Amino acid sequence: TPLALSRVPKAGGDAEILVPDLPERPERVVLIGDEVFLPLDRPEGTTGPRGAILRVPKAGGAVQEITSHVHPFGAMGVDADSFYVGTCPGVAGEAAVLRIPRAGGDGTEIARGGLCYVGVTVDATRAYFGEWGAPNYQSTGDGSVLFADKCGCS
């Protein structure tokens, strides 16, 4: 079954398909201005990058991949300038939080050390995130909320 990105008026009515054939199921849909951003967590066994962010014009149109990463993305926060994604490699010490400009690109690592970083959110100066602590989203951590300076500095 093909995956589609649609929109519908808040007051109700018929859905309008913006993109009839998304390559993967998005983890979330983020609307910023006239653009829709779709973070992806591609399935295990995927050839190539497992994490990606796609951009689509709000009015519909071509899908553009603005960034990709070898590890799947566990979560995404956003501010006026950047996306903050937690990676979920499932290997102890390999998870990272990346700051990626909204225009796209490789991004900057601002935190590293866990197994799977999830629940990323941001305020004016920091990115906050959780640690699943085990593969396959089994929560075995101590429930701590971790944080890193958004600048990537210590």
Side-chain angles (χ1 to χ4, degrees):
T1 304
L3 301 169
L5 176 66
S6 302
R7 67 180 178 184
V8 64
K10 287 182 178 180
D14 293 333
E16 175 187 359
I17 295 176
L18 299 178
V19 180
D21 56 353
L22 286 174
E24 302 286 338
R25 178 185 58 86
E27 290 297 307
R28 144 181 209 204
V29 177
V30 178
L31 178 64
I32 303 171
D34 290 333
E35 298 177 307
V36 179
F37 296 90
L38 308 164
L40 301 180
D41 176 359
R42 293 180 172 135
E44 196 168 335
T46 297
T47 302
R50 295 218 20 232
I53 299 175
L54 306 180
R55 175 175 45 213
V56 179
K58 185 170 78 172
V63 176
Q64 178 187 17
E65 184 174 288
I66 64 166
T67 191
S68 63
H69 194 270
V70 64
H71 297 303
F73 292 158
M76 183 174 82
V78 64
D79 67 12
D81 302 313
S82 302
F83 296 109
Y84 298 82
V85 296
T87 67
C88 194
V91 177
E94 294 293 318
V97 176
L98 307 172
R99 182 184 69 237
I100 300 167
R102 287 217 335 235
D106 292 335
T108 302
E109 186 175 289
I110 64 170
R112 171 176 284 280
L115 187 69
C116 180
Y117 288 149
V118 297
V120 178
T121 192
V122 297
D123 67 13
T125 60
R126 292 184 170 158
Y128 300 86
F129 50 97
E131 161 66 75
W132 272 109
N136 301 320
Y137 303 104
Q138 298 168 1
S139 181
T140 60
D142 65 4
S144 298
V145 174
L146 307 170
F147 66 89
D149 289 329
K150 288 166 61 175
C151 64
C153 49
S154 55

